[in-house]
């Protein structure tokens, strides 16, 4: 039995080449804007640790009751703004998923037109992703509670190790399952939603028989796409790093001018240095967005080709498939 994921590797490359060549500056810039949200990397956070004496009382310097209310207000505002920013990016990215697929489907990139056309579907996808994220957060908190609670009761070290060995696989299972659900929703259910003109849950109901009937094909897709995404991510990181080094040359000159301004007049030098930092970050983000355009396009074509092979009703790119195979 032929594996569609292996056959689609070359077809996706040829379809991507046909879509991006000859180089159209307007098309690349639009795709870079879309990819900036669709291809947003994950954000990791480092947990803070606090030491508490053996008697269970906090040290005088760590007494939270002495913290002024203004500090708590500032922290709450900062956290609130961060949460709103993350939700806004997640929402825009949800709508952009449809903009990207529609662009590949029609071989024409129109951000505003497709945004208006698929705004409601993007909102439903945002709600689904938010629900999945809250479920994962709640599950992790429960697992962490189960792991930490016995430690506070003074259980033996051996019992704590056994409990950790039991719960760690649960963390792994939760991560794999939610990753597959999110990935398959993005790559396959979104195209089904376009074809069927339905919501996320209805899209999953329509897609599920195809997934269950060709599970070996989608298992192969999951493995191959993981490798392709890993290789593509490494290539994007390498090229972006090279561009970052090149970008340091003009940024270094501007930073030197900012230092001279700071030494002469700190009131002018500090804003100048901040502006230089902002320009460097903006330039780095723009470079990464442009570099990842071929990778995002290729991976999405790859998924659409596999979906169309397993169910012709969900084939959004029959013309592109024929061009790639010729």
């Amino acid at each position: 039995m032929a594996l569609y994921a292996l056959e689609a590797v070359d077809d996706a490359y040829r379809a991507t080449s046909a879509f991006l060549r000859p180089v159209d500056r307007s098309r690349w810039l639009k795709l870079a804007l879309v990819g900036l949200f669709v291809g947003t990397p994950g954000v990791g956070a480092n947990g803070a640790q606090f030491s508490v004496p053996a008697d269970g009382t906090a040290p005088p310097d760590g007494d939270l009751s002495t913290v002024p209310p203004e500090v708590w207000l500032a922290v709450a505002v900062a956290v609130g703004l961060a949460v709103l920013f993350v939700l806004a990016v997640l929402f825009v990215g949800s709508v952009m998923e449809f903009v990207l697929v529609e662009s590949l489907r029609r071989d024409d990139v129109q951000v505003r037109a497709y945004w208006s056309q698929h705004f409601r579907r993007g909102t439903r996808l945002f709600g689904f992703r938010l629900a999945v994220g809250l479920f994962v957060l709640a599950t992790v908190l429960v697992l962490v509670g189960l792991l930490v609670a016995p430690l506070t009761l003074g259980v033996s070290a051996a019992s704590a190790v056994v409990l950790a060995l039991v719960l760690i696989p649960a963390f792994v299972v939760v991560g794999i399952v939610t990753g597959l659900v999110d990935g398959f929703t993005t790559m396959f259910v979104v195209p089904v939603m376009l074809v069927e003109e339905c919501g996320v849950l209805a899209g999953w109901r329509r897609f599920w028989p195809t997934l269950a009937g060709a599970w070996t094909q989608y298992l192969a897709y999951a493995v191959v796409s993981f490798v392709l995404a890993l290789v593509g991510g490494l290539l994007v990181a390498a090229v972006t790093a090279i561009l970052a080094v090149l970008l340091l040359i003009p940024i270094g000159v501007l930073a030197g001018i900012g230092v001279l301004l700071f030494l002469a007049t700190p009131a002018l030098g500090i804003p100048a240095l901040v502006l230089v930092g902002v320009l460097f970050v903006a330039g780095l983000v723009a470079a990464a967005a442009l570099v990842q355009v071929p990778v995002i396009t290729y991976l999405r074509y790859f998924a659409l080709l596999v979906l169309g092979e397993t169910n012709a009703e969900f084939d959004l790119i029959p013309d592109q498939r024929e061009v790639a195979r010729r």
Side-chain angles (χ1 to χ4, degrees), residues 4-314:
Y4 300 142
L6 297 180
E7 295 178 351
V9 171
D10 292 335
D11 292 343
Y13 171 77
R14 287 189 285 269
T16 302
S17 298
F19 183 71
L20 296 179
R21 295 177 182 176
V23 176
D24 185 333
R25 182 177 60 182
S26 175
R27 171 169 291 196
W28 272 71
L29 290 176
K30 292 177 182 177
L31 288 173
L33 175 62
V34 174
L36 188 63
F37 296 95
V38 172
T40 303
V43 179
N46 296 321
Q49 296 181 350
F50 301 92
S51 60
V52 180
D55 59 0
T57 59
D61 293 340
D63 186 4
L64 298 180
S65 63
T66 60
V67 178
E70 294 80 4
V71 175
W72 287 116
L73 179 61
V75 171
V77 171
V79 171
L81 291 176
V83 171
L84 289 177
F85 175 77
V86 171
L87 291 177
V89 172
L90 181 62
F91 175 77
V92 174
S94 298
V95 183
M96 287 297 188
E97 296 288 356
F98 294 91
V99 174
L100 176 59
V101 175
E102 194 70 67
S103 298
L104 301 181
R105 178 189 188 183
R106 299 182 181 277
D107 195 15
D108 183 27
V109 186
Q110 299 292 336
V111 177
R112 283 191 291 182
Y114 298 157
W115 174 282
S116 301
Q117 182 179 351
H118 300 294
F119 180 82
R120 294 184 62 182
R121 293 191 184 94
T123 303
R124 294 178 179 179
L125 179 62
F126 167 74
F128 179 82
R129 286 177 166 178
L130 187 60
V132 171
L134 292 176
F135 171 77
V136 173
L137 178 61
T139 303
V140 170
L141 290 177
V142 170
L143 294 176
V144 171
L146 293 175
L147 183 62
V148 173
L151 300 179
T152 62
L153 300 177
V155 299
S156 63
S159 300
V161 171
V162 171
L163 182 62
L165 292 177
V166 173
L167 292 179
I168 288 177
F171 281 100
V172 176
V173 170
V174 170
I176 293 176
V177 172
T178 54
L180 287 174
V181 170
D182 181 68
F184 276 39
T185 300
T186 299
M187 294 299 187
F188 301 118
V189 176
V190 165
V192 173
M193 292 171 64
L194 287 177
V195 173
E196 300 293 327
E197 298 183 352
C198 61
V200 182
L201 297 181
W204 261 108
R205 284 194 294 267
R206 291 287 291 116
F207 171 64
W208 180 255
T210 301
L211 175 61
W215 65 270
T216 54
Q217 299 289 349
Y218 285 98
L219 178 61
Y221 163 82
V223 175
V224 176
S225 66
F226 174 79
V227 176
L228 293 175
L230 180 62
V231 174
L234 292 176
L235 290 175
V236 170
V239 176
T240 304
I242 295 174
L243 294 178
V245 173
L246 297 177
L247 189 61
L248 283 175
I249 298 175
I251 289 297
V253 175
L254 294 177
I257 297 175
V259 171
L260 294 178
L261 282 175
F262 177 78
L263 294 176
T265 308
L268 294 177
I270 293 177
L273 291 174
V274 171
L275 179 60
V276 170
V278 171
L279 290 176
F280 176 72
V281 172
L284 196 59
V285 171
L290 288 170
V291 169
Q292 70 178 358
V293 165
V295 176
I296 292 176
T297 304
Y298 174 85
L299 293 176
R300 198 54 58 96
Y301 265 131
F302 179 68
L304 292 175
L305 288 168
V306 173
L307 177 63
E309 289 288 353
T310 55
N311 191 333
E313 294 182 10
F314 301 147

